[in-house]
């Protein structure tokens, strides 16, 4: 059931459902989450079951404000505090050392916990309402509301399509950011970028004075993370990334027969087939991130068997989009 997230009554119904141990489709500025009370192990287990997600892939705990992390994090290094000050509420997740009894099921018993304070007004209203319940719900665990390995949802309808009408979903509109939060591991003495997103490497360096290490440099030590599996974010169609000249040659080869092919392009292209679905990628990275997952879903819905995507620019602001596209292509 989809409820209007703007209404106070919906927000309270959603908070009460979380308190009862039920699941909720929660809008955030990045993607929609499949939410449950972080400290209710049975409720959190339902998230893993509904997603088909292996239990050793930890979930992010969402909090209403930076204050609430004291219930989950054992300590906060200075650079992590600076990142929180700069980017919370917003699309940044920090991995911090975990308090022994907090969010056990969400973290799969790991000694760290992922924390994020979302900026979406509906997410914020729900988290605030949860804090005011008796007993309060201090943290809400929410992975992206998609089946394991599939494209993340950026509208309430995507969530309903994925999980059916029984799930309560708050409609908060289309997600502003469109790709999942940037994840920075703050448990290793220096910031380590585990997942690129709208907050870039450059943004992080500006805020804390340290350039984050890439996860490749520390991969051997990082916990398993589903966002780091190569074949993730996969639409049903096979995805290929190509530079503009390669893409043009492929279209030329097709000639008039372009059935079941979708193209997401940046350059002007010659195209002789009226069957090919052409969609222009926005010039800006942020605008592309916003529409990316919806575009992949649209291509699937159009019946595309092949999706050809022009490789985006190599600059830091495109890192999050490049990452998601490379994963989608790796699944082919
Ligand atoms: O934008 C987002 O982060 C969205 C919205 C709903 O907030 N959530 C999201 O969750 O993308 P999910 O579960 O799809 O991705 C969470 C990522 C996973 O790759 C997980 O392994 C990693 O965060 N993660 C969570 N806790 C961790 C921890 N303690 N150590 C390392 N990685 C962690
Ligand atoms: Mg996900």
């Amino acid at each position: 059931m989809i409820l209007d997230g703007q209404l106070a009554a919906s927000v309270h119904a959603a908070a009460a459902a979380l308190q009862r141990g039920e699941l909720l489709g929660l809008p955030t500025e990045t993607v929609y989450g499949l939410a449950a009370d972080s400290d209710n192990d049975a409720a959190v287990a339902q998230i893993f079951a509904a997603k088909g997600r292996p239990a050793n892939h930890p979930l992010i705990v969402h909090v209403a404000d930076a204050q609430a992390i004291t219930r989950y994090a054992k300590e906060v290094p200075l650079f992590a505090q600076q990142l929180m000050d700069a980017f919370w509420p917003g699309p940044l997740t920090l991995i911090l050392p975990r308090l022994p009894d907090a969010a056990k099921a969400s973290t799969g018993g790991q000694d760290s916990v992922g924390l994020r304070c979302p900026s979406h007004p509906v997410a914020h209203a729900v988290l605030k309402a949860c804090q005011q319940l008796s007993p309060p719900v201090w943290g809400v665990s929410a992975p992206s509301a998609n089946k394991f390995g599939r494209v993340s949802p950026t509208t309430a309808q995507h969530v309903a399509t994925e999980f059916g009408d029984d799930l309560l979903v708050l409609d908060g509109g289309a997600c502003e950011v469109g790709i999942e939060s940037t994840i920075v591991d703050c448990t290793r003495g220096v910031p380590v970028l585990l997942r690129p997103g709208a907050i870039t490497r450059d943004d992080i360096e500006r805020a804390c004075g340290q350039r984050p290490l890439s996860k490749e440099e520390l991969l051997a030590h990082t916990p398993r993370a589903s966002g780091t599996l190569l074949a993730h974010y996969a639409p049903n169609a096979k995805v290929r990334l190509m530079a503009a000249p390669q893409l043009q040659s492929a279209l030329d080869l097709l000639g008039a027969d372009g059935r079941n092919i979708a193209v997401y392009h940046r350059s002007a292209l010659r195209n002789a087939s009226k069957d090919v679905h052409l969609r222009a990628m926005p010039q800006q990275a942020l605008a592309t991130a916003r529409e990316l997952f919806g575009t992949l879903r649209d291509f699937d819905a159009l019946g595309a068997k092949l999706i050809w995507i022009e490789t985006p620019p190599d600059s830091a602001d495109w890192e999050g989009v490049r990452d998601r596209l490379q994963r989608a292509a790796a699944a082919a």
Side-chain angles (χ1 to χ4, degrees), residues 28 30-33 53 58-60 62 93 95 110 112-114 116 142-144 180-181 183 194-195 223-227:
T28 83
T30 56
V31 300
Y32 276 69
R53 173 162 165 145
L59 307 179
I60 294 169
H62 297 70
T93 297
I95 310 294
Q110 291 189 47
S112 62
V113 56
R116 165 162 129 75
S144 50
E180 302 83 351
S181 59
I183 304 182
L194 294 187
R195 181 170 73 183
R224 195 186 295 218
S226 60

Side-chain angles (χ1 to χ4, degrees), residues 31 51 53 143-147 149-150 152 180 195 226-227 232-233:
V31 300
K51 276 188 64 105
R53 173 162 165 145
S144 50
N146 52 278
K147 298 276 167 65
R150 312 304 305 180
S152 298
E180 302 83 351
R195 181 170 73 183
S226 60
H232 213 64
Y233 311 106

